[in-house]
Structure formats: C-alpha cells, structure tokens
C-alpha cells in the first residue's frame, strides 16, 4: 500500500520501487509472474514436469528449475516456497536425484511423503500437478559424500532414504571401489521409497549391499538391533550416514557406541523438526528483541523463532529445523540452549539460529 507521501508522488514511489535494493522483487514479481511464472525474481522458479507415485503416501515431483538456479551437491536440501490459501509457506526437502541428472537435463526430483496433519506436504500431494510453478531456494546442507573412497554404511528410515538415493546413484556413476552397505527401515514392503532405483543399483553395483527391514510385520527381529550389523564388515572403519526419524537416530547412536567410531565418521541429517531435548534446568526468560524494541516473557521450551513470531515479528526463516541457517541472527547477551544438541551457548554476543535456540534466562536478540 502507498504511504501518504508516496501517494502524493506516484512517480517518486515508482522510482523508489525500481531502485529498492532491499526488495526489488516484491514490486516486480506479481507483474512478472502474471506474464510468466518462471520469471519470478524473489526466488528461483521451478516448473513441475511430472508427479510420480512412489508409495501410497509418497510422491516424487520432477522439477525444472529456471536457469538462474546454481545446482546442488548430492545430499543437499532446498526450501520450497508455495502459496496456499493466500499464505506463503517455506518447507525444506532433500533433493533425491543426482547432480549429474541436473547437469544433463536441468531437472531435479523431490520425493515427499505426506506428513500426518502436515499442511504443506498434504497440500502438495493434493494440488501440485505437472505444469504448476513453485519457488525454490538455492541448495544448502553438508550431508556430503566422503572426499575419498572410504567404506560406507548408510542407515535410513522411511523418507530418510531421499538423500541416500542421491548419494548412492552418484557413487554408482563413479569408479567407487570401497564397499557400501545400506540398512533401510520401512513399515511394510509397500512403503519402500525408491524401490526401483535400489533394486537396479544392487543388481549392477557389486560393492553395494542393500538390506531392507519391514518394521510393521510383527517380527521384532526387523527392528534395528545389533544383529543387523553382522553383514557390515569392518564397521569401525566406515563412514556412517544416518537419516531417519528421531527414534531411529537415537537407537542407532546407542547401537553404534560399542564400535568406537569417531565423531567425524558419523554424518547425520534430520528430516523433521527437532523435538525438545530433556534438560534439568528451567527454560524460558525475559526476551528483548532489541531492534524492534519488543519485550516478551517465555516460560517454556519454545524456540526464539516461535517466540518472535508470537510477538508479531517476522524474522527470516527457511527450514525451521536448524539446517539452512536462514534464521541466523545475533544474540547480544544471555544464554540459549541448542534444541538439537542440548548444549548451552556462551553468555555473550554470538550468532545463533532462532529456530533451534531456546532461551535460558534473560536474552537479547538483535532483530
Ligand atoms: S530456519 Fe533453517 S536453520 Fe533456522
């Protein structure tokens, strides 16, 4: 909406918009996207080329990002930007295809499971068809392939297989000589995501061993347990890649402990928002958002991003799960607890991620 001064000088207002370095796209995008949705400037536009059913509740969306997009490394994530019911939403998903595919034909895939009660995953399943256009961010994340040919162990649960599919297909395309094992946990056979790719990789790549466990067939031995590592020789030498629901990840931590792996051998990525870590000390406190001159009290384990939003502030965010760093900002004083690790920050000035930082006592944030 034009302010009073701007209304009195439409040309001046137009000039300001044309040269507004902070948000030129905010003015142009509605016009440009009416002509061609792929011309959006505020984010990278990506057209849905096709939608493929993977399982009863999982679909793969084949996307063609505009030529402005910079590509990705296997295992990285992107934020998608969609408008649903007039509200703009950002969600993070892992690219399930390979960088080689993008370099060849310019397409990528996102393999997305309906989250129970999940507003955006369900909306995507119900509304996104071939021909639609969504926004995407540049890729981010460091769930990277190893620099050298180390023996590898992948452990994935459910839709946590998506970065693993990208890794395995990338490795299979390279002269990767070291042994690679995958332990994949799904509820039933019908819930295997990427079954065709996994079958093809296992059939054509002798160094790869794929073991799939069905955890809802009423057989306790299908749940992850130490016997599943029997077919993973020299486990203590391997680089381990983990992606799955929190319960599985916690169990894996316990099971791997006796093998004496170093921290730098274990690579994790999360695909759901972190839950609170149990802490002995009380959380919450008086929060000051200094630049906005807003003071609020928090008496629970809400992260600062939610506290700021509840106070009608609009800090930047992307994944809301500690991956993308888009919510990073400066804490000028006070202690926060990292929800992912349970570790406390220092008391002074430092950069924190609002979405995973829970105040512990009075905190001042520079937003
Ligand atoms: S929103 Fe992505 S790290 Fe906080």
């Amino acid at each position: 909406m034009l302010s009073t001064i701007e209304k009195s000088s439409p040309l001046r207002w137009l000039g300001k918009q044309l040269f507004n370095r902070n948000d030129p796209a905010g003015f142009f995008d509605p016009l440009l996207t009416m002509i061609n949705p792929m011309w959006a400037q505020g984010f990278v536009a990506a057209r849905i080329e096709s939608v493929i059913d993977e399982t009863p509740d999982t679909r793969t969306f084949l996307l063609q990002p505009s030529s402005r997009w910079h590509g990705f490394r296997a295992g990285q994530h992107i934020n998608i930007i969609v408008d649903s019911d007039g509200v703009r939403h950002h969600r993070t998903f892992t690219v399930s295809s390979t960088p080689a595919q993008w370099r060849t034909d310019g397409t990528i895939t996102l393999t997305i499971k309906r989250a129970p009660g999940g507003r955006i995953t369900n909306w995507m399943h119900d509304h996104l068809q071939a021909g639609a256009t969504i926004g995407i961010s540049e890729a981010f994340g460091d769930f990277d392939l190893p620099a050298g040919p180390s023996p590898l162990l992948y452990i994935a649960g459910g839709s946590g297989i998506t970065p693993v599919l990208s890794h395995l297909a990338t490795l299979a395309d390279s002269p990767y000589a070291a042994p690679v094992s995958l332990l994949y946990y799904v509820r039933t056979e019908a819930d295997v995501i990427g079954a065709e790719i996994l079958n093809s990789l296992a059939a054509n790549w002798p160094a790869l061993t794929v073991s799939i466990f069905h955890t809802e067939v009423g057989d306790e031995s299908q749940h992850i347990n130490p016997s599943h590592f029997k077919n993973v020789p020299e486990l203590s030498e391997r680089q381990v890649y983990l992606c799955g629901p929190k319960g599985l990840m916690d169990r894996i931590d316990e099971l791997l402990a006796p093998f004496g792996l170093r921290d730098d051998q274990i690579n994790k990525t999360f695909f759901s928002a972190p839950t609170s870590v149990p802490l002995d000390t009380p959380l919450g406190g008086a929060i000051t958002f200094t630049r906005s001159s807003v003071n609020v009290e928090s008496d629970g384990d809400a992260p600062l991003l939610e506290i700021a939003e509840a106070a009608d502030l609009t800090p930047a965010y992307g994944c809301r799960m500690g991956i993308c760093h888009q919510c990073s900002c400066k804490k000028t004083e006070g202690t926060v607890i990292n929800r992912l690790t349970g570790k406390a920050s220092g008391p002074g000035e430092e950069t924190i991620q609002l979405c995973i930082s829970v105040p512990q006592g009075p905190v001042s944030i520079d937003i």
Side-chain angles (χ1 to χ4, degrees):
M1 184 182 292
L2 300 180
S3 71
T4 314
I5 293 173
E6 286 157 345
K7 274 179 190 161
S8 68
S9 177
L11 277 178
R12 187 187 300 171
W13 174 80
L14 179 61
K16 277 176 70 178
Q17 299 303 320
L18 288 171
F19 297 101
N20 180 355
R21 290 189 194 161
N22 291 330
D23 187 22
F27 175 71
F28 286 114
D29 269 0
L31 304 175
L32 291 172
T33 54
M34 268 194 317
I35 303 166
N36 183 339
M38 296 294 280
W39 290 353
Q41 297 298 303
F43 46 76
V44 175
R47 187 173 47 243
I48 311 248
E49 298 293 328
S50 62
V51 182
I52 302 148
D53 285 330
E54 290 280 345
T55 73
D57 61 4
T58 304
R59 285 184 163 169
T60 289
F61 297 85
L62 179 74
L63 305 180
Q64 178 107 42
S66 80
S67 57
R68 287 200 295 130
W69 197 59
H70 290 108
F72 70 108
R73 301 190 303 274
Q76 284 198 299
H77 322 281
I78 56 173
N79 286 330
I80 65 147
I81 302 138
V82 294
D83 291 331
S84 149
D85 296 331
V87 180
R88 179 152 290 183
H89 301 272
H90 300 241
R91 290 291 184 279
T92 301
F93 298 102
T94 308
V95 182
S96 53
S97 53
T98 63
Q101 175 180 322
W102 176 72
R103 286 193 296 270
T104 305
D105 66 7
T107 64
I108 62 171
T109 60
L110 298 178
T111 299
I112 298 174
K113 181 172 176 167
R114 283 183 189 269
R119 185 169 176 177
I120 297 309
T121 57
N122 284 295
W123 181 88
M124 291 177 75
H125 274 244
D126 294 337
H127 293 93
L128 279 188
Q129 303 290 343
T133 302
I134 62 173
I136 65 170
S137 70
E138 293 297 343
F140 56 84
D142 54 8
F143 195 66
D144 286 331
L145 287 165
S150 326
L152 307 178
L153 168 61
Y154 288 93
I155 307 178
S159 55
I161 195 70
T162 50
V164 180
L165 291 173
S166 180
H167 270 210
L168 292 179
T170 300
L171 291 170
D173 254 359
S174 70
Y176 202 81
V180 179
S181 299
L182 166 64
L183 307 180
Y184 181 27
Y185 296 84
V186 287
R187 286 175 304 183
T188 68
E189 191 175 354
D191 297 304
V192 175
I193 296 169
E196 214 174 296
I197 295 172
L198 292 174
N199 287 337
S200 164
L201 289 172
N204 296 301
W205 181 12
L208 175 67
T209 311
V210 175
S211 306
I212 300 179
F213 301 92
H214 304 136
T215 57
E216 277 191 9
V217 295
D219 175 357
E220 270 304 305
S221 71
Q222 294 286 302
H223 291 262
I224 189 163
N225 69 70
S227 74
H228 293 184
F229 296 135
K230 279 195 186 130
N231 294 330
V232 186
E234 297 168 343
L235 174 49
S236 58
E237 304 299 314
R238 298 200 179 214
Q239 279 290 320
V240 181
Y241 287 85
L242 311 174
C243 187
K246 185 166 177 356
L248 177 68
M249 305 277 263
D250 290 346
R251 181 80 178 115
I252 293 167
D253 281 342
E254 275 170 43
L255 293 173
L256 288 180
F259 292 92
L261 292 140
R262 301 180 311 275
D263 282 354
D264 65 4
Q265 285 177 268
I266 299 185
N267 309 272
K268 292 183 184 180
T269 191
F270 293 86
F271 65 85
S272 57
T275 52
S276 307
V277 288
L279 292 162
D280 298 334
T281 46
L283 297 170
I287 322 295
T288 305
F289 296 108
T290 49
R291 239 183 308 149
S292 318
S293 303
V294 170
N295 298 292
V296 289
E297 284 282 336
S298 160
D299 62 0
D301 62 358
L304 284 161
L305 180 59
E306 287 176 17
I307 296 169
E309 288 172 337
D312 289 334
L313 301 180
T314 53
Y317 68 85
C319 65
R320 302 181 81 98
M321 60 177 88
I323 302 171
C324 71
H325 290 264
Q326 286 194 41
C327 65
S328 292
C329 68
K330 194 164 59 177
K331 165 177 74 65
T332 49
E333 58 182 341
T335 301
V336 296
I337 304 292
N338 181 316
R339 250 183 152 186
L340 290 177
T341 63
K343 290 195 179 134
S345 71
E349 184 173 311
E350 61 192 308
T351 300
I352 59 163
Q353 291 159 274
L354 290 176
C355 68
I356 53 167
S357 297
V358 181
Q360 188 177 49
V363 170
S364 297
I365 307 292
D366 181 29
I367 58 174

